Amino acid sequence: MTPSASTITPSAAAGELWDAVIIGGGSAGLAASLALGRSLRRTLIIDAGSPRNRFAEHMHTVLGHEGLPPTELQARGRAEATGYGVEILEAAVSTVSEADAHSMRLVLEDGQQFLARAIVAATGVTDRLPEIPGLAERWGRSVLHCPYCHGWEVRGRRLGVLATGPMAMHQAQLLRQWSDDLTFFSAAAEPLEEAARLRLSARGVKIEPRRVTEVRGEGGSTADVRLEGGGTTAVDAIFTAGALVPHDDFLEGLALARADSIVGSFLAVDETLRTSHPRVWAAGNLTMPMGNVPMAISAGTMAGAQVNAALIQEDFDAAEAA
C-alpha cells in the first residue's frame, strides 16, 4: 500500500451504509472513485491488490503518462482519490447480494460485511497463458500481448506471434507493422486456410506450423523457442493472447446478464455501464477485456458519474415521496 492511501479498520466500517463500494482498485476502479469522491459521495474501494498490468514495468500509449510504471499510476490515483475522502481497504470480496430494496451486502473472504447503495465492479481479468515452459515467466517483459502497449519497444527486432485462438491471424497481421522479421507460430490455428497463408506470405511473414515446446533466454529476455520434433527459431519477443478469465465470481449469486464474444463471456452492461441489476455497475477489463489503461480510466469515470446520477435520482425520489 502507498503511504498516501488511507485505510479503514473493519470495526469502523462494519454495518455502515456507503453510497458506493468499488470492488477493484486498478485504473477503472480508481477513476470511478475519483468521480464519486468529487461528487461528495461516501465511497469505499475494496482492492485485492492484483492488477492485470502488475507484470509490466512501464505503460505506453497513455497520454500524459507515457512510460510511467503502472504502480506509480496506481499510487498517484490512490493519493488523488483519498484526497477527496475515498477510503481504501485491502481485502477480497467473496459474495455480493441484495440486503434490502435500497442496498447491497458485500461479504469479504474473512467474513466482514459491508452495505452499499451502489456497487462498481472493476476487478478485471486474468490472462491464462498456454502451459509452455518459459512462457509465463517472461510475461510482461519479452512475452507480450498488445502491440500498442509494447510494439515500439521491440520494433525492428525478431518477433514471434504464438497462436492461441481465433484472434491469432489478426495479431499476426498487426505485428507485421512493427517488424520485417516476423514468425507466426501457427500450431493452435492449424489448419490454416490457403488464403490466410498466402496473405501472410505476401507480406513476408514466416509461418511455423510446429508446436512451440519451450521459450528460452536469460532472465526475462527471450532468445529462441524450441519446436516439437527438434530445432529452434530465434526470436527477441513473443506476442500472444492468453485466455481471458474475468474476475466476477463474487457476483454469481446475482445471476447478471452476460454477453458472449469471440474472446469469452463477460458481464453485459448498457450505455451507462450498468449491469442487469439496478445497483451494480461494471467497468474496465471486466466488461471490455481488450481495453488498455486509457480505456479503463474512461470507463471508470463514466461508471462513477452514472452511479452518482442514479443516487441523485433516488435521493430526489425519496424526498418527493416523503
Side-chain angles (χ1 to χ4, degrees):
M1 171 167 299
T2 62
S4 58
S6 68
T7 60
I8 60 170
T9 61
S11 59
E16 296 183 11
L17 180 64
W18 297 82
D19 285 327
V21 171
I22 298 167
I23 307 172
S27 300
L30 286 169
S33 77
L34 198 59
L36 285 160
R38 286 178 54 82
S39 300
L40 308 178
R41 291 295 178 185
R42 189 161 182 265
T43 304
L44 170 68
I45 295 175
I46 301 177
D47 182 32
S50 55
R52 182 185 186 187
N53 61 3
R54 65 191 182 276
F55 301 102
E57 295 180 354
H58 303 94
M59 304 180 305
H60 297 286
T61 322
V62 183
L63 185 63
H65 297 296
E66 182 62 23
L68 190 74
T71 52
E72 178 63 22
L73 180 68
Q74 185 183 44
R76 293 184 187 181
R78 285 188 166 201
E80 291 169 355
T82 56
Y84 292 107
V86 175
E87 298 184 72
I88 301 173
L89 176 65
E90 299 287 339
V93 175
S94 177
T95 62
V96 173
S97 60
E98 293 182 349
D100 53 42
H102 306 288
S103 64
M104 307 297 290
R105 175 177 286 107
L106 299 88
V107 180
L108 306 190
E109 289 184 348
D110 64 5
Q112 297 179 71
Q113 296 189 23
F114 298 87
L115 298 175
R117 296 174 63 191
I119 288 173
V120 178
T123 41
V125 300
T126 289
D127 300 271
R128 184 177 294 164
L129 297 174
E131 294 184 1
I132 299 173
L135 192 71
E137 294 88 333
R138 293 170 173 81
W139 182 242
R141 291 179 288 176
S142 61
V143 174
L144 312 164
H145 76 291
C146 172
Y148 296 104
C149 302
H150 306 287
W152 171 268
E153 284 65 43
V154 294
R155 67 193 184 281
R157 304 183 71 183
R158 300 170 300 181
L159 304 184
V161 171
L162 177 64
T164 58
M167 294 294 291
M169 181 67 180
H170 168 73
Q171 196 174 33
Q173 293 181 76
L174 195 61
L175 263 300
R176 177 60 180 81
Q177 175 64 21
W178 279 266
S179 178
D180 297 334
D181 191 344
L182 178 65
T183 302
F184 181 40
F185 299 100
S186 62
E190 294 290 348
L192 277 182
E193 295 182 358
E194 186 61 22
R197 293 183 182 279
L198 291 173
R199 186 171 181 80
L200 293 176
S201 298
R203 288 275 284 148
V205 178
K206 299 181 287 290
I207 300 172
E208 174 51 76
R210 289 178 291 174
R211 188 172 63 89
V212 172
T213 60
E214 184 182 6
V215 179
R216 307 188 304 176
E218 294 294 327
S221 65
T222 295
D224 62 25
V225 298
R226 187 180 294 277
L227 301 170
E228 188 175 42
T232 61
T233 296
V235 290
D236 299 308
I238 298 171
F239 284 79
T240 191
L244 299 175
V245 182
H247 298 162
D248 56 15
D249 290 350
F250 59 92
L251 296 170
E252 185 175 355
L254 298 178
L256 301 177
R258 304 189 73 85
D260 294 328
S261 71
I262 194 171
V263 293
S265 175
F266 299 88
L267 293 175
V269 293
D270 64 15
E271 64 276 6
T272 71
L273 302 183
R274 194 180 227 156
T275 69
S276 55
H277 192 287
R279 293 190 180 276
V280 180
W281 284 254
N285 288 152
L286 198 59
T287 63
M288 183 182 53
M290 306 300 285
N292 61 5
V293 169
M295 294 175 186
I297 292 173
S298 175
T301 302
M302 169 67 81
Q306 293 297 331
V307 166
N308 182 56
L311 294 181
I312 286 173
Q313 182 69 35
E314 187 175 67
D315 292 341
F316 270 91
D317 290 345
E320 189 176 34

